[in-house]
Amino acid sequence: NSLSLALKELNNEQQLCVTLFYLEKKSYQQVSEITGYSLMQVKSNIQNGKRNLKILMEKYSTHE
């Protein structure tokens, strides 16, 4: 589906943080512990990943 395609286009850090936070329902703290990123990095990766996903999802929905 277009979400999994869009997820694959994110960089590794964003992809990992977004997957753990939204799909695996981990907290910021848990994502930080799993990835070794600071809380600030985790929040930044999730925010940027969410914004990029929105853009990518719009791109995919126009092609269907």
Side-chain angles (χ1 to χ4, degrees):
N1 66 20
S2 53
L3 177 60
S4 54
L5 288 172
L7 258 176
K8 288 188 176 87
E9 286 201 44
L10 296 179
N11 70 35
N12 290 341
E13 293 86 3
Q14 291 175 7
Q15 190 180 112
L16 183 58
C17 290
V18 166
T19 300
L20 289 169
F21 187 74
Y22 289 108
L23 303 181
E24 297 186 21
K25 306 286 190 250
K26 305 287 187 200
S27 69
Y28 284 130
Q29 186 62 47
Q30 288 171 312
V31 175
S32 175
E33 289 166 8
I34 291 166
T35 61
Y37 304 143
S38 71
L39 276 180
M40 286 301 296
Q41 288 173 304
V42 168
K43 288 178 184 178
S44 174
N45 281 324
I46 289 170
Q47 272 186 322
N48 293 331
K50 193 167 70 170
R51 186 184 63 239
N52 291 333
L53 271 180
K54 183 173 183 282
I55 294 164
L56 290 164
M57 291 295 287
E58 287 168 1
K59 182 179 89 173
Y60 285 120
S61 67
T62 60
H63 291 301
E64 289 177 8

Tab-separated table of all heavy atoms in Angstrom:
chain	number	residue	atom	x	y	z
A	1	ASN	N	0.835	-1.209	0.000
A	1	ASN	CA	0.000	0.000	0.000
A	1	ASN	C	0.868	1.257	0.000
A	1	ASN	O	2.090	1.172	0.165
A	1	ASN	CB	-0.985	-0.023	1.174
A	1	ASN	CG	-0.303	0.051	2.532
A	1	ASN	OD1	0.844	0.483	2.637
A	1	ASN	ND2	-0.991	-0.363	3.555
A	2	SER	N	0.255	2.381	-0.155
A	2	SER	CA	1.033	3.620	-0.295
A	2	SER	C	1.746	4.010	0.996
A	2	SER	O	2.821	4.600	0.944
A	2	SER	CB	0.161	4.764	-0.804
A	2	SER	OG	-0.985	4.921	-0.020
A	3	LEU	N	1.197	3.644	2.177
A	3	LEU	CA	1.887	3.974	3.427
A	3	LEU	C	3.209	3.229	3.526
A	3	LEU	O	4.237	3.822	3.855
A	3	LEU	CB	1.011	3.658	4.641
A	3	LEU	CG	1.674	3.897	6.002
A	3	LEU	CD1	2.093	5.364	6.156
A	3	LEU	CD2	0.762	3.494	7.133
A	4	SER	N	3.214	1.940	3.223
A	4	SER	CA	4.473	1.187	3.324
A	4	SER	C	5.472	1.660	2.283
A	4	SER	O	6.679	1.699	2.550
A	4	SER	CB	4.229	-0.320	3.228
A	4	SER	OG	3.511	-0.652	2.083
A	5	LEU	N	5.004	2.042	1.111
A	5	LEU	CA	5.904	2.617	0.093
A	5	LEU	C	6.500	3.931	0.578
A	5	LEU	O	7.701	4.168	0.455
A	5	LEU	CB	5.140	2.864	-1.221
A	5	LEU	CG	4.757	1.649	-2.047
A	5	LEU	CD1	3.850	2.062	-3.201
A	5	LEU	CD2	5.994	0.942	-2.563
A	6	ALA	N	5.654	4.776	1.146
A	6	ALA	CA	6.104	6.076	1.632
A	6	ALA	C	7.098	5.905	2.782
A	6	ALA	O	8.119	6.599	2.838
A	6	ALA	CB	4.908	6.924	2.072
A	7	LEU	N	6.819	4.974	3.694
A	7	LEU	CA	7.722	4.721	4.821
A	7	LEU	C	9.120	4.356	4.341
A	7	LEU	O	10.109	4.793	4.905
A	7	LEU	CB	7.181	3.573	5.679
A	7	LEU	CG	6.477	3.925	6.976
A	7	LEU	CD1	5.930	2.672	7.631
A	7	LEU	CD2	7.343	4.709	7.926
A	8	LYS	N	9.184	3.557	3.269
A	8	LYS	CA	10.477	3.118	2.746
A	8	LYS	C	11.302	4.278	2.193
A	8	LYS	O	12.514	4.169	2.060
A	8	LYS	CB	10.275	2.053	1.670
A	8	LYS	CG	9.832	0.709	2.214
A	8	LYS	CD	9.850	-0.353	1.129
A	8	LYS	CE	9.512	-1.716	1.675
A	8	LYS	NZ	8.088	-1.997	1.706
A	9	GLU	N	10.642	5.372	1.844
A	9	GLU	CA	11.349	6.519	1.276
A	9	GLU	C	11.944	7.440	2.335
A	9	GLU	O	12.755	8.295	2.022
A	9	GLU	CB	10.421	7.313	0.352
A	9	GLU	CG	10.179	6.599	-0.957
A	9	GLU	CD	9.725	7.542	-2.053
A	9	GLU	OE1	10.283	8.633	-2.195
A	9	GLU	OE2	8.779	7.156	-2.763
A	10	LEU	N	11.526	7.275	3.586
A	10	LEU	CA	12.092	8.097	4.663
A	10	LEU	C	13.529	7.657	4.921
A	10	LEU	O	13.890	6.511	4.657
A	10	LEU	CB	11.295	7.924	5.955
A	10	LEU	CG	9.842	8.379	5.960
A	10	LEU	CD1	9.226	8.104	7.324
A	10	LEU	CD2	9.721	9.843	5.609
A	11	ASN	N	14.347	8.550	5.484
A	11	ASN	CA	15.687	8.101	5.855
A	11	ASN	C	15.576	7.117	7.023
A	11	ASN	O	14.531	7.000	7.660
A	11	ASN	CB	16.631	9.280	6.135
A	11	ASN	CG	16.308	10.033	7.406
A	11	ASN	OD1	15.881	9.457	8.407
A	11	ASN	ND2	16.507	11.330	7.386
A	12	ASN	N	16.659	6.396	7.292
A	12	ASN	CA	16.614	5.312	8.279
A	12	ASN	C	16.171	5.780	9.661
A	12	ASN	O	15.389	5.105	10.324
A	12	ASN	CB	17.978	4.625	8.385
A	12	ASN	CG	18.300	3.823	7.133
A	12	ASN	OD1	17.417	3.485	6.365
A	12	ASN	ND2	19.569	3.543	6.932
A	13	GLU	N	16.676	6.933	10.093
A	13	GLU	CA	16.344	7.431	11.423
A	13	GLU	C	14.859	7.739	11.531
A	13	GLU	O	14.202	7.341	12.491
A	13	GLU	CB	17.150	8.700	11.760
A	13	GLU	CG	18.640	8.476	11.919
A	13	GLU	CD	19.402	8.533	10.607
A	13	GLU	OE1	18.783	8.798	9.546
A	13	GLU	OE2	20.622	8.293	10.638
A	14	GLN	N	14.327	8.460	10.550
A	14	GLN	CA	12.899	8.813	10.566
A	14	GLN	C	12.042	7.554	10.466
A	14	GLN	O	11.060	7.397	11.200
A	14	GLN	CB	12.573	9.762	9.413
A	14	GLN	CG	13.175	11.138	9.592
A	14	GLN	CD	12.942	12.039	8.393
A	14	GLN	OE1	12.217	11.691	7.464
A	14	GLN	NE2	13.578	13.199	8.406
A	15	GLN	N	12.426	6.664	9.578
A	15	GLN	CA	11.668	5.424	9.386
A	15	GLN	C	11.598	4.629	10.687
A	15	GLN	O	10.520	4.181	11.092
A	15	GLN	CB	12.364	4.598	8.298
A	15	GLN	CG	11.593	3.418	7.808
A	15	GLN	CD	12.361	2.672	6.731
A	15	GLN	OE1	12.780	1.552	6.961
A	15	GLN	NE2	12.573	3.305	5.592
A	16	LEU	N	12.722	4.487	11.362
A	16	LEU	CA	12.781	3.735	12.602
A	16	LEU	C	11.934	4.388	13.687
A	16	LEU	O	11.120	3.725	14.339
A	16	LEU	CB	14.244	3.618	13.055
A	16	LEU	CG	14.529	2.795	14.306
A	16	LEU	CD1	14.026	1.365	14.138
A	16	LEU	CD2	16.021	2.806	14.607
A	17	CYS	N	12.102	5.685	13.878
A	17	CYS	CA	11.375	6.391	14.940
A	17	CYS	C	9.866	6.393	14.681
A	17	CYS	O	9.075	6.144	15.596
A	17	CYS	CB	11.889	7.822	15.095
A	17	CYS	SG	13.554	7.909	15.794
A	18	VAL	N	9.464	6.664	13.453
A	18	VAL	CA	8.040	6.691	13.102
A	18	VAL	C	7.421	5.300	13.286
A	18	VAL	O	6.329	5.159	13.840
A	18	VAL	CB	7.848	7.194	11.649
A	18	VAL	CG1	6.443	6.912	11.140
A	18	VAL	CG2	8.155	8.686	11.561
A	19	THR	N	8.137	4.266	12.847
A	19	THR	CA	7.630	2.894	12.978
A	19	THR	C	7.442	2.521	14.441
A	19	THR	O	6.387	2.005	14.832
A	19	THR	CB	8.591	1.898	12.296
A	19	THR	OG1	8.690	2.225	10.910
A	19	THR	CG2	8.091	0.471	12.427
A	20	LEU	N	8.454	2.798	15.263
A	20	LEU	CA	8.360	2.454	16.686
A	20	LEU	C	7.255	3.246	17.376
A	20	LEU	O	6.482	2.693	18.158
A	20	LEU	CB	9.703	2.718	17.385
A	20	LEU	CG	10.841	1.766	17.029
A	20	LEU	CD1	12.163	2.290	17.579
A	20	LEU	CD2	10.566	0.368	17.551
A	21	PHE	N	7.171	4.543	17.076
A	21	PHE	CA	6.230	5.414	17.780
A	21	PHE	C	4.781	5.160	17.365
A	21	PHE	O	3.907	4.949	18.200
A	21	PHE	CB	6.610	6.877	17.540
A	21	PHE	CG	5.813	7.851	18.362
A	21	PHE	CD1	6.051	7.996	19.719
A	21	PHE	CD2	4.829	8.640	17.777
A	21	PHE	CE1	5.325	8.898	20.485
A	21	PHE	CE2	4.096	9.546	18.531
A	21	PHE	CZ	4.349	9.678	19.885
A	22	TYR	N	4.529	5.172	16.064
A	22	TYR	CA	3.141	5.066	15.590
A	22	TYR	C	2.673	3.624	15.392
A	22	TYR	O	1.557	3.276	15.745
A	22	TYR	CB	2.947	5.833	14.287
A	22	TYR	CG	2.989	7.323	14.490
A	22	TYR	CD1	4.078	8.073	14.046
A	22	TYR	CD2	1.960	7.991	15.138
A	22	TYR	CE1	4.125	9.449	14.247
A	22	TYR	CE2	1.996	9.357	15.348
A	22	TYR	CZ	3.076	10.080	14.894
A	22	TYR	OH	3.125	11.419	15.108
A	23	LEU	N	3.510	2.784	14.815
A	23	LEU	CA	3.067	1.430	14.491
A	23	LEU	C	3.235	0.470	15.661
A	23	LEU	O	2.451	-0.448	15.835
A	23	LEU	CB	3.798	0.900	13.250
A	23	LEU	CG	3.642	1.766	11.992
A	23	LEU	CD1	4.367	1.153	10.813
A	23	LEU	CD2	2.181	2.009	11.655
A	24	GLU	N	4.273	0.683	16.474
A	24	GLU	CA	4.493	-0.213	17.617
A	24	GLU	C	4.079	0.431	18.938
A	24	GLU	O	4.270	-0.146	20.003
A	24	GLU	CB	5.957	-0.667	17.650
A	24	GLU	CG	6.321	-1.469	16.411
A	24	GLU	CD	7.714	-2.055	16.468
A	24	GLU	OE1	8.270	-2.195	17.577
A	24	GLU	OE2	8.254	-2.361	15.393
A	25	LYS	N	3.539	1.649	18.858
A	25	LYS	CA	2.968	2.355	20.022
A	25	LYS	C	3.958	2.542	21.184
A	25	LYS	O	3.603	2.437	22.344
A	25	LYS	CB	1.720	1.617	20.539
A	25	LYS	CG	0.658	1.362	19.484
A	25	LYS	CD	-0.083	2.635	19.135
A	25	LYS	CE	-1.290	2.365	18.270
A	25	LYS	NZ	-1.147	2.824	16.904
A	26	LYS	N	5.220	2.788	20.841
A	26	LYS	CA	6.229	3.050	21.873
A	26	LYS	C	6.179	4.523	22.271
A	26	LYS	O	5.777	5.375	21.477
A	26	LYS	CB	7.638	2.726	21.353
A	26	LYS	CG	7.824	1.327	20.812
A	26	LYS	CD	7.846	0.291	21.897
A	26	LYS	CE	8.204	-1.077	21.335
A	26	LYS	NZ	7.796	-2.162	22.201
A	27	SER	N	6.619	4.814	23.486
A	27	SER	CA	6.700	6.209	23.937
A	27	SER	C	7.988	6.834	23.400
A	27	SER	O	8.889	6.120	22.935
A	27	SER	CB	6.711	6.253	25.465
A	27	SER	OG	7.931	5.709	25.946
A	28	TYR	N	8.082	8.162	23.488
A	28	TYR	CA	9.332	8.833	23.103
A	28	TYR	C	10.509	8.223	23.862
A	28	TYR	O	11.570	7.977	23.303
A	28	TYR	CB	9.279	10.337	23.428
A	28	TYR	CG	8.445	11.175	22.488
A	28	TYR	CD1	7.491	12.053	22.981
A	28	TYR	CD2	8.629	11.113	21.117
A	28	TYR	CE1	6.731	12.852	22.127
A	28	TYR	CE2	7.881	11.896	20.253
A	28	TYR	CZ	6.933	12.766	20.768
A	28	TYR	OH	6.192	13.548	19.917
A	29	GLN	N	10.309	8.017	25.156
A	29	GLN	CA	11.371	7.468	26.011
A	29	GLN	C	11.790	6.072	25.543
A	29	GLN	O	12.978	5.765	25.438
A	29	GLN	CB	10.901	7.418	27.472
A	29	GLN	CG	11.982	6.997	28.455
A	29	GLN	CD	13.155	7.962	28.494
A	29	GLN	OE1	12.966	9.167	28.563
A	29	GLN	NE2	14.368	7.432	28.443
A	30	GLN	N	10.809	5.236	25.226
A	30	GLN	CA	11.114	3.880	24.759
A	30	GLN	C	11.845	3.918	23.419
A	30	GLN	O	12.789	3.161	23.209
A	30	GLN	CB	9.830	3.063	24.621
A	30	GLN	CG	9.208	2.684	25.951
A	30	GLN	CD	7.831	2.062	25.773
A	30	GLN	OE1	6.986	2.594	25.048
A	30	GLN	NE2	7.601	0.939	26.436
A	31	VAL	N	11.399	4.787	22.516
A	31	VAL	CA	12.062	4.917	21.209
A	31	VAL	C	13.511	5.350	21.425
A	31	VAL	O	14.435	4.827	20.799
A	31	VAL	CB	11.317	5.915	20.282
A	31	VAL	CG1	12.095	6.129	18.986
A	31	VAL	CG2	9.912	5.413	19.971
A	32	SER	N	13.715	6.285	22.342
A	32	SER	CA	15.054	6.765	22.658
A	32	SER	C	15.938	5.627	23.166
A	32	SER	O	17.091	5.479	22.745
A	32	SER	CB	14.960	7.879	23.702
A	32	SER	OG	16.247	8.279	24.111
A	33	GLU	N	15.394	4.812	24.060
A	33	GLU	CA	16.156	3.690	24.628
A	33	GLU	C	16.469	2.627	23.572
A	33	GLU	O	17.570	2.087	23.533
A	33	GLU	CB	15.387	3.062	25.794
A	33	GLU	CG	15.353	3.956	27.021
A	33	GLU	CD	14.337	3.521	28.066
A	33	GLU	OE1	13.742	2.420	27.928
A	33	GLU	OE2	14.135	4.288	29.035
A	34	ILE	N	15.516	2.345	22.700
A	34	ILE	CA	15.695	1.316	21.670
A	34	ILE	C	16.726	1.761	20.627
A	34	ILE	O	17.581	0.981	20.215
A	34	ILE	CB	14.343	0.990	20.980
A	34	ILE	CG1	13.422	0.281	21.972
A	34	ILE	CG2	14.549	0.132	19.737
A	34	ILE	CD1	11.972	0.208	21.527
A	35	THR	N	16.634	3.023	20.221
A	35	THR	CA	17.472	3.504	19.115
A	35	THR	C	18.812	4.067	19.571
A	35	THR	O	19.751	4.145	18.783
A	35	THR	CB	16.747	4.620	18.334
A	35	THR	OG1	16.486	5.714	19.231
A	35	THR	CG2	15.455	4.125	17.713
A	36	GLY	N	18.876	4.514	20.830
A	36	GLY	CA	20.089	5.173	21.295
A	36	GLY	C	20.119	6.654	20.951
A	36	GLY	O	21.089	7.353	21.229
A	37	TYR	N	19.037	7.167	20.323
A	37	TYR	CA	18.947	8.596	20.004
A	37	TYR	C	18.503	9.360	21.250
A	37	TYR	O	17.806	8.808	22.095
A	37	TYR	CB	17.940	8.871	18.882
A	37	TYR	CG	18.181	8.135	17.589
A	37	TYR	CD1	17.126	7.650	16.835
A	37	TYR	CD2	19.471	7.935	17.108
A	37	TYR	CE1	17.334	6.982	15.645
A	37	TYR	CE2	19.687	7.264	15.916
A	37	TYR	CZ	18.620	6.783	15.187
A	37	TYR	OH	18.835	6.125	14.013
A	38	SER	N	18.877	10.625	21.331
A	38	SER	CA	18.389	11.464	22.424
A	38	SER	C	16.897	11.735	22.223
A	38	SER	O	16.371	11.548	21.117
A	38	SER	CB	19.145	12.789	22.451
A	38	SER	OG	18.752	13.589	21.345
A	39	LEU	N	16.225	12.180	23.287
A	39	LEU	CA	14.795	12.511	23.170
A	39	LEU	C	14.575	13.582	22.108
A	39	LEU	O	13.610	13.525	21.348
A	39	LEU	CB	14.238	12.989	24.512
A	39	LEU	CG	13.796	11.901	25.480
A	39	LEU	CD1	13.268	12.510	26.771
A	39	LEU	CD2	12.731	11.002	24.870
A	40	MET	N	15.478	14.561	22.056
A	40	MET	CA	15.352	15.624	21.043
A	40	MET	C	15.455	15.047	19.635
A	40	MET	O	14.697	15.426	18.743
A	40	MET	CB	16.436	16.692	21.241
A	40	MET	CG	16.198	17.602	22.429
A	40	MET	SD	14.627	18.502	22.338
A	40	MET	CE	14.904	19.506	20.880
A	41	GLN	N	16.399	14.126	19.426
A	41	GLN	CA	16.541	13.493	18.104
A	41	GLN	C	15.292	12.685	17.751
A	41	GLN	O	14.835	12.710	16.613
A	41	GLN	CB	17.761	12.568	18.085
A	41	GLN	CG	19.093	13.281	18.089
A	41	GLN	CD	20.240	12.297	18.252
A	41	GLN	OE1	20.288	11.528	19.207
A	41	GLN	NE2	21.170	12.331	17.316
A	42	VAL	N	14.764	11.976	18.737
A	42	VAL	CA	13.561	11.162	18.513
A	42	VAL	C	12.393	12.055	18.102
A	42	VAL	O	11.716	11.800	17.101
A	42	VAL	CB	13.200	10.335	19.775
A	42	VAL	CG1	11.810	9.722	19.662
A	42	VAL	CG2	14.246	9.256	20.023
A	43	LYS	N	12.168	13.130	18.872
A	43	LYS	CA	11.056	14.039	18.556
A	43	LYS	C	11.233	14.663	17.182
A	43	LYS	O	10.278	14.780	16.408
A	43	LYS	CB	10.944	15.126	19.629
A	43	LYS	CG	10.419	14.585	20.946
A	43	LYS	CD	10.357	15.661	22.009
A	43	LYS	CE	9.922	15.066	23.342
A	43	LYS	NZ	9.884	16.049	24.414
A	44	SER	N	12.454	15.055	16.877
A	44	SER	CA	12.755	15.665	15.579
A	44	SER	C	12.521	14.669	14.445
A	44	SER	O	11.891	14.994	13.434
A	44	SER	CB	14.202	16.156	15.581
A	44	SER	OG	14.559	16.617	14.315
A	45	ASN	N	13.014	13.441	14.602
A	45	ASN	CA	12.823	12.416	13.570
A	45	ASN	C	11.350	12.095	13.357
A	45	ASN	O	10.911	11.892	12.225
A	45	ASN	CB	13.584	11.134	13.937
A	45	ASN	CG	15.064	11.239	13.641
A	45	ASN	OD1	15.467	11.854	12.664
A	45	ASN	ND2	15.874	10.643	14.488
A	46	ILE	N	10.571	12.061	14.449
A	46	ILE	CA	9.137	11.772	14.332
A	46	ILE	C	8.421	12.923	13.639
A	46	ILE	O	7.614	12.714	12.730
A	46	ILE	CB	8.528	11.450	15.711
A	46	ILE	CG1	9.041	10.079	16.175
A	46	ILE	CG2	7.003	11.470	15.658
A	46	ILE	CD1	8.706	9.738	17.609
A	47	GLN	N	8.734	14.163	14.039
A	47	GLN	CA	8.104	15.329	13.407
A	47	GLN	C	8.440	15.399	11.923
A	47	GLN	O	7.561	15.568	11.074
A	47	GLN	CB	8.574	16.618	14.070
A	47	GLN	CG	7.752	17.026	15.264
A	47	GLN	CD	8.184	18.392	15.780
A	47	GLN	OE1	9.362	18.731	15.786
A	47	GLN	NE2	7.242	19.181	16.224
A	48	ASN	N	9.722	15.282	11.605
A	48	ASN	CA	10.147	15.350	10.205
A	48	ASN	C	9.617	14.168	9.408
A	48	ASN	O	9.188	14.329	8.260
A	48	ASN	CB	11.673	15.412	10.103
A	48	ASN	CG	12.235	16.701	10.650
A	48	ASN	OD1	11.583	17.741	10.625
A	48	ASN	ND2	13.439	16.644	11.173
A	49	GLY	N	9.629	12.997	10.027
A	49	GLY	CA	9.115	11.806	9.354
A	49	GLY	C	7.636	11.924	9.058
A	49	GLY	O	7.176	11.560	7.976
A	50	LYS	N	6.885	12.458	10.019
A	50	LYS	CA	5.437	12.633	9.830
A	50	LYS	C	5.160	13.620	8.699
A	50	LYS	O	4.306	13.388	7.847
A	50	LYS	CB	4.820	13.118	11.146
A	50	LYS	CG	3.317	13.048	11.189
A	50	LYS	CD	2.795	13.233	12.595
A	50	LYS	CE	3.001	14.654	13.062
A	50	LYS	NZ	2.302	14.942	14.328
A	51	ARG	N	5.912	14.721	8.683
A	51	ARG	CA	5.740	15.720	7.628
A	51	ARG	C	6.091	15.118	6.252
A	51	ARG	O	5.353	15.283	5.286
A	51	ARG	CB	6.625	16.941	7.912
A	51	ARG	CG	6.387	18.083	6.928
A	51	ARG	CD	7.325	19.249	7.146
A	51	ARG	NE	8.702	18.840	6.921
A	51	ARG	CZ	9.683	18.914	7.829
A	51	ARG	NH1	9.449	19.382	9.028
A	51	ARG	NH2	10.892	18.508	7.543
A	52	ASN	N	7.205	14.393	6.193
A	52	ASN	CA	7.612	13.777	4.925
A	52	ASN	C	6.625	12.710	4.475
A	52	ASN	O	6.343	12.592	3.279
A	52	ASN	CB	9.019	13.177	5.049
A	52	ASN	CG	10.076	14.255	5.179
A	52	ASN	OD1	9.909	15.379	4.721
A	52	ASN	ND2	11.179	13.915	5.819
A	53	LEU	N	6.087	11.943	5.424
A	53	LEU	CA	5.089	10.927	5.073
A	53	LEU	C	3.857	11.566	4.450
A	53	LEU	O	3.312	11.053	3.480
A	53	LEU	CB	4.655	10.145	6.317
A	53	LEU	CG	5.454	8.910	6.687
A	53	LEU	CD1	4.875	8.277	7.935
A	53	LEU	CD2	5.498	7.903	5.558
A	54	LYS	N	3.430	12.686	5.022
A	54	LYS	CA	2.262	13.392	4.501
A	54	LYS	C	2.494	13.800	3.047
A	54	LYS	O	1.649	13.590	2.181
A	54	LYS	CB	1.981	14.614	5.374
A	54	LYS	CG	0.744	15.387	4.988
A	54	LYS	CD	0.475	16.473	6.027
A	54	LYS	CE	-0.796	17.217	5.727
A	54	LYS	NZ	-0.661	18.208	4.671
A	55	ILE	N	3.675	14.350	2.785
A	55	ILE	CA	4.034	14.764	1.424
A	55	ILE	C	4.073	13.553	0.495
A	55	ILE	O	3.513	13.580	-0.610
A	55	ILE	CB	5.405	15.491	1.423
A	55	ILE	CG1	5.300	16.811	2.192
A	55	ILE	CG2	5.915	15.712	0.002
A	55	ILE	CD1	6.642	17.417	2.581
A	56	LEU	N	4.703	12.476	0.941
A	56	LEU	CA	4.813	11.272	0.113
A	56	LEU	C	3.458	10.624	-0.128
A	56	LEU	O	3.178	10.166	-1.239
A	56	LEU	CB	5.762	10.273	0.773
A	56	LEU	CG	7.236	10.664	0.788
A	56	LEU	CD1	8.016	9.809	1.785
A	56	LEU	CD2	7.839	10.545	-0.598
A	57	MET	N	2.600	10.599	0.897
A	57	MET	CA	1.274	10.012	0.741
A	57	MET	C	0.460	10.795	-0.291
A	57	MET	O	-0.272	10.216	-1.081
A	57	MET	CB	0.525	9.991	2.075
A	57	MET	CG	1.097	9.034	3.101
A	57	MET	SD	0.974	7.317	2.630
A	57	MET	CE	-0.784	7.057	2.843
A	58	GLU	N	0.604	12.111	-0.271
A	58	GLU	CA	-0.100	12.937	-1.260
A	58	GLU	C	0.421	12.628	-2.660
A	58	GLU	O	-0.338	12.535	-3.615
A	58	GLU	CB	0.055	14.419	-0.936
A	58	GLU	CG	-0.778	14.830	0.273
A	58	GLU	CD	-0.445	16.204	0.821
A	58	GLU	OE1	0.439	16.887	0.260
A	58	GLU	OE2	-1.062	16.594	1.833
A	59	LYS	N	1.735	12.428	-2.769
A	59	LYS	CA	2.343	12.088	-4.061
A	59	LYS	C	1.784	10.764	-4.571
A	59	LYS	O	1.390	10.646	-5.729
A	59	LYS	CB	3.864	12.020	-3.904
A	59	LYS	CG	4.594	11.717	-5.203
A	59	LYS	CD	6.098	11.695	-4.999
A	59	LYS	CE	6.545	10.285	-4.623
A	59	LYS	NZ	8.002	10.153	-4.569
A	60	TYR	N	1.725	9.752	-3.692
A	60	TYR	CA	1.227	8.443	-4.116
A	60	TYR	C	-0.259	8.476	-4.429
A	60	TYR	O	-0.704	7.801	-5.349
A	60	TYR	CB	1.513	7.385	-3.038
A	60	TYR	CG	2.962	6.961	-3.006
A	60	TYR	CD1	3.725	7.144	-1.865
A	60	TYR	CD2	3.569	6.400	-4.108
A	60	TYR	CE1	5.059	6.775	-1.827
A	60	TYR	CE2	4.904	6.023	-4.081
A	60	TYR	CZ	5.639	6.212	-2.942
A	60	TYR	OH	6.961	5.847	-2.924
A	61	SER	N	-1.039	9.243	-3.689
A	61	SER	CA	-2.477	9.245	-3.927
A	61	SER	C	-2.832	9.905	-5.251
A	61	SER	O	-3.843	9.576	-5.855
A	61	SER	CB	-3.211	9.944	-2.770
A	61	SER	OG	-2.888	11.310	-2.755
A	62	THR	N	-1.994	10.802	-5.746
A	62	THR	CA	-2.263	11.429	-7.038
A	62	THR	C	-1.924	10.507	-8.193
A	62	THR	O	-2.389	10.716	-9.317
A	62	THR	CB	-1.505	12.763	-7.202
A	62	THR	OG1	-0.098	12.506	-7.090
A	62	THR	CG2	-1.928	13.793	-6.186
A	63	HIS	N	-1.119	9.474	-7.941
A	63	HIS	CA	-0.712	8.554	-9.011
A	63	HIS	C	-1.624	7.346	-9.115
A	63	HIS	O	-1.469	6.534	-10.010
A	63	HIS	CB	0.733	8.084	-8.803
A	63	HIS	CG	1.740	9.170	-9.008
A	63	HIS	ND1	1.867	9.855	-10.182
A	63	HIS	CD2	2.661	9.705	-8.166
A	63	HIS	CE1	2.817	10.753	-10.082
A	63	HIS	NE2	3.326	10.691	-8.866
A	64	GLU	N	-2.552	7.210	-8.186
A	64	GLU	CA	-3.416	6.006	-8.215
A	64	GLU	C	-4.670	6.241	-9.025
A	64	GLU	O	-5.137	7.307	-9.209
A	64	GLU	CB	-3.771	5.585	-6.781
A	64	GLU	CG	-2.564	5.022	-6.073
A	64	GLU	CD	-2.841	4.656	-4.613
A	64	GLU	OE1	-4.016	4.708	-4.194
A	64	GLU	OE2	-1.888	4.324	-3.920
